[in-house]
């Protein structure tokens, strides 16, 4: 989207706000209300559009462009002669810079490293999540048209669209943050946007240990599983930290391996040098051209992968994932939405059924039990903290049932007066069958890792 389109779009959105009145001014020169602020900003936008040499501006680097916009806005504010204080002057300059080069009112929120989620509930209301808790912010958009312009800017960057014929869309920001937008007529009160933030500097194992999301012992077991090329399934609810854990687990993969990632919206931040990233494609306006995760999984097997990592298994691609794990692509990893490890296996079984192969349940379960070595359950607790709740090993089949044994767990013991969840990590005392495989691959596990008498807060 060109600078001209951005400016004209925002000016149009701002000018359509109903019943705009001239801003009232108090004795200190401060604008009394948002109505006056938006009217002033709209006039500055229009003046900027008339003054800027857009052809020259398009060729300038971003830092130079920001400076030029600042100078022009300051000049226009002097010409306006509307008494405003320094804080309001700086706010108008920053807002217009964000409108031209960024995502408008969302830019200050995206720059805040403490925010993990941004939830736009129509143009009037924006919530954020900090440290697991939701907070209402002062940010809002001029009107519905303004919000739609920002949504269009986000989705157009990744070659996607959103309109009445396709009112839902998944996209991503340049930093890998995941975006979901849904517009009327599906959203009754106005367009909605949900942004799942990802750290600019990816978290490391040490960070999760410091946050008490896991213990060094749990990290040692998980690292051994990855290094020994055991196939792992990460299970958890929305916002529980599945993708974050998958990113961290990938750090244990040797740097000489070829990794292929497959996602609906690219969000993984793998640090290895040899990573090939694939992303699905939605259908076009005519309803054609869709590329599903299943197609990408099948194609990835022709690309000589050492490991295949699926961002989230959610459909018929489950059968291709299991077959890949069973036919020489061990060490692959994926995430799935489920409340418990047992539920995760049931969901995989149901998704295999979506492939339409008419396999008997026992055959599907045999595929699952032979393909997956361990299931790691993660959760966001009531106090907002995310923890690894359980590591369970799949040991085989007994009759028609997949057998599992728990190796490590987080045991909740209560809730503190301030709402913090109390509990500890501990081993169950069971030495896993995969311990021998890890030893053969040069990653022996110490016996004291499985001592059930030890407690880790």
């Amino acid at each position: 989207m060109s600078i001209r389109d951005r400016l004209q779009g925002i000016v149009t959105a701002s000018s359509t706000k109903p019943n705009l009145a001239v801003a009232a001014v108090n004795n200190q020169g401060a604008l009394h209300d948002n109505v006056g602020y938006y009217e002033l900003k709209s006039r500055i936008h229009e003046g900027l559009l008339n003054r800027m040499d857009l052809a020259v501006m398009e060729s300038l680097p971003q830092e130079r462009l920001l400076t030029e916009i600042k100078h022009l806005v300051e000049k226009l504010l002097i010409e306006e002669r509307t008494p405003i204080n320094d804080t309001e002057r700086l706010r108008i300059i920053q807002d217009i810079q964000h409108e031209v080069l960024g995502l408008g009112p969302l830019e200050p929120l995206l720059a805040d490293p403490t925010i993990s989620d941004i939830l736009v509930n129509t143009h009037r209301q924006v919530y954020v999540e900090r440290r697991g808790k939701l907070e209402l912010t002062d940010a809002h958009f001029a009107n519905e048209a303004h919000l739609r312009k920002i949504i269009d800017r986000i989705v157009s960057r990744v070659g996607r669209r959103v309109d009445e014929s396709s009112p839902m869309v998944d996209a991503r920001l340049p930093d890998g943050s995941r975006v979901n937008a849904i517009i009327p007529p599906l959203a009754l009160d106005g367009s909605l946007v949900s942004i799942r933030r990802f750290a600019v500097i990816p978290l490391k194992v040490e960070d999760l240990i410091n946050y008490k999301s896991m213990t060094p012992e749990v990290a040692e077991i998980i690292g051994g599983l990855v290094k020994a090329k055991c196939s792992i399934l990460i299970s958890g609810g929305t916002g529980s930290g599945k993708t974050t854990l998958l990113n961290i687990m990938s750090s244990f993969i040797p740097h000489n391996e070829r990794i292929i990632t497959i996602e609906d919206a690219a969000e993984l931040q793998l640090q290895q040098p040899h990573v090939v990233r694939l992303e699905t494609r939605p259908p076009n306006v005519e309803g054609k051209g869709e590329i599903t995760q299943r197609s990408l999984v099948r194609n990835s097997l022709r690309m000589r992968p050492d490991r295949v990592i699926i961002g989230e298994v959610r459909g018929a691609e489950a059968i291709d994932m299991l077959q890949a794990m069973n036919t020489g692509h061990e060490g692959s990893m994926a995430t799935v939405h489920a409340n418990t490890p047992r539920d995760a296996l049931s969901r995989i079984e149901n998704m295999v059924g979506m492939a339409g192969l008419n396999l008997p349940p026992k055959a599907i379960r045999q595929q699952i039990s032979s393909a997956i070595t361990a299931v790691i359950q993660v959760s966001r607790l009531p106090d907002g903290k995310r923890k690894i709740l359980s590591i369970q090993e799949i040991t085989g089949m007994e009759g028609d049932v997949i057998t599992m044994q728990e190796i490590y767990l987080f045991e909740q013991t209560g809730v503190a007066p301030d709402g913090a969840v109390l509990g500890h990590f501990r081993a169950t005392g069971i030495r896993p069958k995969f311990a021998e495989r890890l030893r053969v691959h040069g990653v022996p596990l110490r016996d004291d890792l499985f001592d059930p008498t030890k407690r880790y807060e």
Side-chain angles (χ1 to χ4, degrees):
M1 187 180 292
S2 69
I3 292 176
R4 177 181 291 276
D5 292 337
R6 293 181 183 185
L7 280 169
Q8 288 177 331
I10 300 303
V11 167
T12 301
S14 300
S15 62
T16 56
K17 189 173 181 68
N19 299 324
L20 282 176
V22 176
V25 181
N26 62 19
N27 293 332
Q28 288 74 37
L31 297 176
H32 266 316
D33 51 35
N34 283 324
V35 173
Y37 173 81
Y38 280 115
E39 185 190 49
L40 176 60
K41 192 170 77 168
S42 179
R43 292 200 303 270
I44 298 299
H45 268 131
E46 291 174 356
L48 192 66
L49 184 60
N50 294 330
R51 297 286 184 90
M52 288 177 70
D53 185 341
L54 298 175
V56 174
M57 290 292 186
E58 291 283 2
S59 62
L60 292 178
Q62 182 162 321
E63 290 300 322
R64 175 76 182 279
L65 185 54
L66 285 170
T67 303
E68 292 295 332
I69 291 172
K70 178 183 177 182
H71 292 332
L72 276 172
V73 172
E74 287 176 338
K75 187 175 181 180
L76 289 166
L77 285 171
I78 292 172
E79 294 174 4
E80 272 284 326
R81 296 186 178 179
T82 301
I84 60 175
N85 58 37
D86 290 342
T87 301
E88 290 164 343
R89 184 183 301 274
L90 179 61
R91 179 185 170 194
I92 288 177
I93 292 170
Q94 290 179 337
D95 282 356
I96 292 179
Q97 288 175 332
H98 291 157
E99 301 290 5
V100 177
L101 298 175
L103 300 180
L106 298 180
E107 281 294 327
L109 305 180
L110 291 168
D112 187 342
T114 66
I115 293 176
S116 57
D117 284 89
I118 301 172
L119 307 172
V120 181
N121 301 340
T122 75
H123 70 274
R124 306 178 191 88
Q125 192 180 68
V126 180
Y127 277 86
V128 298
E129 180 187 296
R130 282 190 178 92
R131 301 174 188 88
K133 300 294 184 180
L134 290 176
E135 302 174 7
L136 179 64
T137 71
D138 294 330
H140 61 278
F141 296 80
N143 49 33
E144 173 67 13
H146 185 194
L147 175 54
R148 288 287 292 275
K149 287 291 182 182
I150 298 300
I151 294 173
D152 289 338
R153 190 179 301 175
I154 292 172
V155 301
S156 63
R157 287 175 174 173
V158 292
R160 303 197 175 187
R161 64 184 179 85
V162 60
D163 51 39
E164 288 189 3
S165 64
S166 179
M168 295 185 297
V169 66
D170 287 314
R172 68 179 185 277
L173 299 179
D175 66 356
S177 298
R178 183 172 59 202
V179 181
N180 175 268
I182 181 167
I183 67 172
L186 299 187
L188 298 180
D189 299 319
S191 299
L192 309 172
V193 182
S194 304
I195 301 177
R196 174 65 51 80
R197 296 288 313 284
F198 287 94
V200 176
I201 302 175
L203 294 176
K204 299 180 180 179
V205 177
E206 294 77 15
D207 296 317
L208 260 63
I209 293 173
N210 292 335
Y211 297 151
K212 297 186 177 180
S213 296
M214 66 165 71
T215 66
E217 290 72 20
V218 170
E220 187 174 341
I221 293 172
I222 291 175
L225 286 168
V226 175
K227 292 173 184 175
K229 300 198 75 170
C230 296
S231 296
I232 302 169
L233 188 65
I234 302 172
S235 167
T238 300
S240 58
K242 299 186 298 298
T243 303
T244 299
L245 180 60
L246 186 56
N247 273 321
I248 289 171
M249 288 170 56
S250 70
S251 66
F252 294 109
I253 298 175
H255 282 235
N256 61 350
E257 293 189 16
R258 175 176 168 87
I259 307 166
I260 296 181
T261 67
I262 299 167
E263 302 171 85
D264 263 339
E267 52 187 319
L268 291 173
Q269 299 172 298
L270 273 61
Q271 304 303 305
Q272 277 72 11
H274 199 164
V275 178
V276 179
R277 305 168 72 208
L278 304 179
E279 184 180 50
T280 61
R281 186 177 71 186
N284 58 21
V285 179
E286 292 80 23
K288 299 178 181 179
E290 181 182 15
I291 305 297
T292 63
Q293 279 203 141
R294 186 176 188 190
S295 300
L296 293 178
V297 172
R298 296 167 77 172
N299 186 79
S300 70
L301 303 183
R302 306 184 185 101
M303 299 172 66
R304 199 258 175 223
D306 288 309
R307 300 185 194 234
V308 177
I309 297 179
I310 303 176
E312 182 184 335
V313 184
R314 60 179 69 186
E317 68 272 7
I319 181 62
D320 299 285
M321 176 192 74
L322 294 176
Q323 289 176 341
M325 292 175 175
N326 278 321
T327 55
H329 298 93
E330 296 173 312
S332 298
M333 294 179 276
T335 73
V336 64
H337 274 84
N339 293 326
T340 67
R342 178 64 64 180
D343 288 346
L345 300 187
S346 297
R347 285 214 64 210
I348 294 294
E349 183 179 341
N350 292 337
M351 287 186 280
V352 170
M354 295 168 63
L357 300 179
N358 295 320
L359 293 173
K362 186 173 183 179
I364 297 174
R365 291 167 190 164
Q366 286 174 334
Q367 286 263 2
I368 294 172
S369 65
S370 60
I372 301 172
T373 301
V375 181
I376 301 174
Q377 184 70 35
V378 296
S379 179
R380 180 170 58 179
L381 302 180
D383 61 359
K385 295 179 181 177
R386 295 167 173 86
K387 292 187 184 292
I388 293 179
L389 294 189
S390 178
I391 300 177
Q392 297 205 20
E393 178 186 27
I394 297 178
T395 56
M397 296 275 295
E398 284 187 6
D400 292 342
V401 179
I402 299 173
T403 55
M404 305 174 72
Q405 59 184 15
E406 192 164 37
I407 308 302
Y408 239 92
L409 77 155
F410 176 78
E411 201 167 55
Q412 183 174 339
T413 57
V415 179
D418 61 355
V421 172
L422 303 176
H424 55 260
F425 293 92
R426 69 173 181 86
T428 61
I430 298 173
R431 186 173 181 84
K433 292 184 177 181
F434 60 66
E436 178 59 23
R437 173 170 179 162
L438 268 60
R439 186 191 66 78
V440 171
H441 282 77
V443 196
L445 297 178
R446 310 187 315 271
D447 289 337
D448 64 332
L449 289 179
F450 310 105
D451 185 351
T453 63
K454 291 186 177 180
R455 299 286 190 271
Y456 307 92
E457 296 299 328

Coordinates of all heavy atoms in Angstrom, one line a residue, residues 45-91:
H45 N -3.9 15.7 8.7 CA -3.7 14.7 7.7 C -3.9 15.3 6.3 O -3.2 15.0 5.4 CB -4.7 13.5 7.9 CG -4.2 12.4 8.8 ND1 -4.9 11.9 9.8 CD2 -3.1 11.7 8.7 CE1 -4.2 10.9 10.4 NE2 -3.1 10.8 9.7
E46 N -5.0 16.0 6.2 CA -5.3 16.6 4.9 C -4.3 17.6 4.4 O -3.8 17.6 3.2 CB -6.7 17.3 4.9 CG -7.9 16.3 5.1 CD -9.2 17.1 5.4 OE1 -9.2 18.3 5.4 OE2 -10.2 16.4 5.4
G47 N -3.8 18.4 5.4 CA -2.7 19.3 5.0 C -1.4 18.5 4.6 O -0.7 19.0 3.7
L48 N -1.2 17.4 5.3 CA 0.0 16.7 5.0 C -0.1 16.1 3.6 O 0.9 16.1 2.9 CB 0.2 15.5 6.0 CG 1.5 14.8 6.1 CD1 2.6 15.7 6.5 CD2 1.4 13.6 7.0
L49 N -1.2 15.6 3.2 CA -1.4 15.0 1.9 C -1.2 16.1 0.8 O -0.7 15.8 -0.2 CB -2.9 14.5 1.8 CG -3.2 13.8 0.5 CD1 -2.3 12.5 0.3 CD2 -4.7 13.3 0.6
N50 N -1.6 17.3 1.1 CA -1.4 18.4 0.1 C 0.0 18.9 0.0 O 0.4 19.3 -1.1 CB -2.4 19.6 0.5 CG -3.8 19.2 0.3 OD1 -4.2 18.4 -0.5 ND2 -4.7 19.8 1.1
R51 N 0.7 18.8 1.1 CA 2.1 19.4 1.2 C 3.2 18.4 0.7 O 4.2 18.8 0.2 CB 2.4 19.8 2.6 CG 1.5 21.0 3.1 CD 1.9 22.3 2.5 NE 1.1 23.4 3.0 CZ 1.5 24.1 4.1 NH1 2.6 23.8 4.7 NH2 0.7 25.0 4.6
M52 N 2.9 17.1 1.0 CA 4.0 16.1 0.7 C 4.2 15.9 -0.8 O 3.2 15.7 -1.5 CB 3.7 14.8 1.4 CG 3.8 14.8 2.9 SD 3.3 13.2 3.6 CE 4.6 12.2 3.1
D53 N 5.4 15.8 -1.2 CA 5.8 15.3 -2.5 C 5.8 13.8 -2.4 O 6.9 13.2 -2.1 CB 7.1 15.9 -3.0 CG 7.4 15.5 -4.4 OD1 6.8 14.5 -4.9 OD2 8.3 16.2 -5.0
L54 N 4.7 13.1 -2.7 CA 4.6 11.7 -2.4 C 5.5 10.8 -3.3 O 6.0 9.8 -2.8 CB 3.1 11.2 -2.7 CG 2.1 11.9 -1.7 CD1 0.7 11.5 -2.1 CD2 2.4 11.6 -0.3
A55 N 5.8 11.3 -4.5 CA 6.7 10.5 -5.3 C 8.1 10.5 -4.7 O 8.8 9.4 -4.7 CB 6.8 11.1 -6.7
V56 N 8.5 11.6 -4.1 CA 9.8 11.6 -3.5 C 9.8 10.9 -2.2 O 10.8 10.1 -1.9 CB 10.3 13.1 -3.2 CG1 11.6 13.2 -2.4 CG2 10.4 13.8 -4.5
M57 N 8.7 11.0 -1.4 CA 8.6 10.3 -0.1 C 8.7 8.8 -0.3 O 9.2 8.1 0.6 CB 7.3 10.7 0.6 CG 7.2 12.2 1.0 SD 8.4 12.5 2.4 CE 8.0 14.1 2.9
E58 N 8.1 8.3 -1.3 CA 8.1 6.8 -1.5 C 9.6 6.3 -1.6 O 9.8 5.1 -1.3 CB 7.4 6.4 -2.8 CG 5.9 6.7 -2.8 CD 5.2 5.6 -2.0 OE1 5.8 4.7 -1.5 OE2 3.9 5.7 -1.9
S59 N 10.5 7.1 -2.1 CA 11.9 6.6 -2.3 C 12.8 6.8 -1.1 O 13.9 6.4 -1.0 CB 12.5 7.3 -3.5 OG 12.6 8.7 -3.2
L60 N 12.2 7.5 0.0 CA 13.1 7.8 1.2 C 13.1 6.6 2.1 O 12.2 5.9 2.2 CB 12.5 9.0 1.9 CG 12.5 10.4 1.2 CD1 11.9 11.4 2.1 CD2 14.0 10.8 0.9
P61 N 14.3 6.4 2.8 CA 14.3 5.4 3.8 C 13.4 5.8 5.0 O 13.1 7.0 5.2 CB 15.8 5.4 4.3 CG 16.3 6.7 3.8 CD 15.6 7.1 2.6
Q62 N 13.0 4.8 5.8 CA 12.0 5.0 6.8 C 12.4 6.1 7.8 O 11.6 6.9 8.2 CB 11.6 3.7 7.5 CG 10.5 3.9 8.5 CD 9.9 2.6 8.9 OE1 9.7 1.7 8.1 NE2 9.6 2.4 10.2
E63 N 13.6 6.1 8.3 CA 14.1 7.0 9.3 C 14.0 8.5 8.7 O 13.5 9.4 9.4 CB 15.5 6.7 9.7 CG 15.7 5.5 10.5 CD 14.8 5.5 11.8 OE1 14.8 6.6 12.4 OE2 14.3 4.5 12.2
R64 N 14.4 8.6 7.5 CA 14.3 10.0 6.9 C 12.9 10.4 6.7 O 12.5 11.6 6.9 CB 15.0 9.9 5.5 CG 14.9 11.2 4.7 CD 15.8 12.3 5.3 NE 15.6 13.6 4.5 CZ 16.2 13.8 3.4 NH1 17.0 12.9 2.8 NH2 16.0 15.0 2.8
L65 N 12.0 9.4 6.3 CA 10.6 9.7 6.1 C 9.9 10.1 7.4 O 9.1 11.1 7.5 CB 9.9 8.5 5.5 CG 8.4 8.6 5.1 CD1 8.3 9.8 4.2 CD2 7.9 7.3 4.5
L66 N 10.3 9.5 8.5 CA 9.7 9.8 9.8 C 10.1 11.3 10.2 O 9.3 12.0 10.7 CB 10.2 8.9 10.9 CG 9.6 7.5 10.9 CD1 10.4 6.6 11.9 CD2 8.2 7.5 11.3
T67 N 11.3 11.6 9.9 CA 11.8 13.0 10.2 C 11.1 14.0 9.3 O 10.6 15.1 9.8 CB 13.3 13.1 9.9 OG1 14.0 12.2 10.7 CG2 13.8 14.5 10.3
E68 N 10.9 13.7 8.1 CA 10.2 14.7 7.2 C 8.7 14.9 7.6 O 8.2 16.0 7.6 CB 10.2 14.1 5.7 CG 11.6 14.2 5.1 CD 12.2 15.6 4.9 OE1 11.4 16.5 4.8 OE2 13.4 15.7 5.0
I69 N 8.1 13.8 8.0 CA 6.7 13.8 8.4 C 6.6 14.7 9.7 O 5.7 15.5 9.8 CB 6.1 12.4 8.7 CG1 5.9 11.7 7.4 CG2 4.8 12.5 9.4 CD1 5.6 10.2 7.5
K70 N 7.6 14.5 10.6 CA 7.6 15.3 11.8 C 7.7 16.8 11.6 O 6.9 17.6 12.1 CB 8.7 14.8 12.7 CG 8.8 15.6 14.0 CD 10.1 15.2 14.8 CE 10.2 16.0 16.1 NZ 11.4 15.7 16.9
H71 N 8.6 17.2 10.7 CA 8.8 18.6 10.3 C 7.5 19.2 9.7 O 7.1 20.3 10.0 CB 10.0 18.8 9.4 CG 11.3 18.4 10.0 ND1 11.5 18.6 11.4 CD2 12.5 18.0 9.5 CE1 12.8 18.2 11.7 NE2 13.4 17.9 10.5
L72 N 6.9 18.4 8.8 CA 5.7 18.9 8.1 C 4.5 19.1 9.1 O 3.8 20.1 9.1 CB 5.3 18.0 7.0 CG 6.0 18.2 5.7 CD1 5.7 17.1 4.7 CD2 5.7 19.5 5.1
V73 N 4.4 18.1 10.0 CA 3.3 18.1 11.0 C 3.5 19.3 11.9 O 2.5 20.1 12.2 CB 3.2 16.8 11.8 CG1 2.2 17.0 12.9 CG2 2.7 15.7 10.8
E74 N 4.7 19.5 12.4 CA 5.0 20.7 13.3 C 4.7 22.0 12.6 O 4.1 22.9 13.2 CB 6.5 20.6 13.7 CG 6.8 19.6 14.7 CD 8.2 19.5 15.1 OE1 9.1 20.0 14.2 OE2 8.6 19.0 16.1
K75 N 5.0 22.1 11.3 CA 4.7 23.3 10.5 C 3.2 23.5 10.4 O 2.7 24.6 10.6 CB 5.4 23.2 9.2 CG 5.3 24.5 8.3 CD 6.0 24.4 7.1 CE 5.9 25.7 6.3 NZ 6.7 25.6 5.0
L76 N 2.5 22.4 10.1 CA 1.0 22.5 10.0 C 0.4 22.9 11.3 O -0.6 23.6 11.3 CB 0.5 21.2 9.4 CG 0.8 20.9 8.0 CD1 0.5 19.4 7.7 CD2 0.0 21.8 7.0
L77 N 0.9 22.4 12.4 CA 0.3 22.7 13.7 C 0.5 24.2 14.0 O -0.4 24.8 14.6 CB 1.0 21.8 14.8 CG 0.5 20.4 14.8 CD1 1.4 19.6 15.8 CD2 -1.0 20.3 15.2
I78 N 1.6 24.7 13.6 CA 1.8 26.2 13.8 C 0.8 27.0 13.0 O 0.3 28.0 13.5 CB 3.3 26.6 13.5 CG1 4.3 25.9 14.4 CG2 3.5 28.1 13.4 CD1 5.7 26.1 14.1
E79 N 0.6 26.6 11.8 CA -0.3 27.3 10.9 C -1.8 27.1 11.4 O -2.6 28.0 11.2 CB -0.2 26.7 9.5 CG 1.1 27.0 8.8 CD 1.3 26.4 7.5 OE1 0.3 25.8 7.0 OE2 2.3 26.5 6.9
E80 N -2.1 26.0 12.1 CA -3.4 25.8 12.6 C -3.8 26.8 13.7 O -4.9 27.2 13.9 CB -3.5 24.4 13.2 CG -3.9 23.3 12.2 CD -5.4 23.4 11.9 OE1 -6.2 23.7 12.8 OE2 -5.8 23.1 10.7
R81 N -2.8 27.2 14.5 CA -3.0 28.1 15.6 C -4.0 27.6 16.7 O -4.6 28.4 17.4 CB -3.4 29.5 15.1 CG -2.4 30.1 14.2 CD -2.8 31.5 13.8 NE -1.7 32.2 13.0 CZ -1.8 33.4 12.6 NH1 -2.9 34.2 12.8 NH2 -0.9 33.9 11.8
T82 N -4.2 26.3 16.7 CA -5.0 25.7 17.8 C -4.1 25.5 19.0 O -3.1 24.9 19.0 CB -5.5 24.3 17.4 OG1 -6.3 24.5 16.2 CG2 -6.4 23.7 18.5
P83 N -4.5 26.2 20.1 CA -3.6 26.1 21.3 C -3.6 24.7 21.9 O -4.6 24.2 22.4 CB -4.3 27.1 22.3 CG -5.6 27.4 21.8 CD -5.7 27.0 20.4
I84 N -2.5 24.0 21.8 CA -2.3 22.7 22.4 C -1.0 22.7 23.1 O -0.1 23.5 22.9 CB -2.3 21.6 21.3 CG1 -1.2 21.8 20.3 CG2 -3.6 21.5 20.6 CD1 -1.0 20.7 19.2
N85 N -0.9 21.8 24.1 CA 0.3 21.7 24.9 C 1.3 20.8 24.2 O 1.1 20.1 23.2 CB 0.0 21.3 26.3 CG -0.7 19.9 26.4 OD1 -0.4 19.0 25.6 ND2 -1.6 19.8 27.3
D86 N 2.5 20.7 24.8 CA 3.6 19.9 24.2 C 3.3 18.4 24.1 O 3.6 17.7 23.2 CB 4.9 20.1 25.0 CG 5.5 21.5 24.8 OD1 5.1 22.1 23.9 OD2 6.3 21.9 25.7
T87 N 2.6 17.9 25.1 CA 2.2 16.5 25.2 C 1.3 16.2 24.0 O 1.4 15.1 23.3 CB 1.5 16.1 26.5 OG1 2.4 16.4 27.6 CG2 1.1 14.6 26.5
E88 N 0.3 17.0 23.8 CA -0.6 16.8 22.6 C 0.0 17.0 21.3 O -0.3 16.2 20.3 CB -1.8 17.8 22.8 CG -2.7 17.5 23.9 CD -3.6 18.6 24.3 OE1 -3.4 19.8 23.9 OE2 -4.6 18.4 25.0
R89 N 1.0 17.9 21.2 CA 1.7 18.1 20.0 C 2.5 16.8 19.6 O 2.5 16.3 18.5 CB 2.7 19.3 20.1 CG 3.4 19.6 18.8 CD 4.4 20.8 19.1 NE 3.6 22.0 19.6 CZ 3.1 22.9 18.8 NH1 3.2 22.7 17.5 NH2 2.4 23.9 19.3
L90 N 3.2 16.3 20.6 CA 4.0 15.1 20.4 C 3.1 13.9 20.1 O 3.4 13.1 19.2 CB 4.8 14.7 21.7 CG 5.7 13.5 21.6 CD1 6.7 13.6 20.5 CD2 6.3 13.2 23.0
R91 N 1.9 13.8 20.7 CA 1.0 12.7 20.4 C 0.5 12.8 19.0 O 0.4 11.7 18.3 CB -0.2 12.8 21.4 CG -1.3 11.7 21.2 CD -2.5 11.9 22.1 NE -3.6 11.0 21.7 CZ -4.8 11.2 22.1 NH1 -5.1 12.2 22.9 NH2 -5.7 10.3 21.7

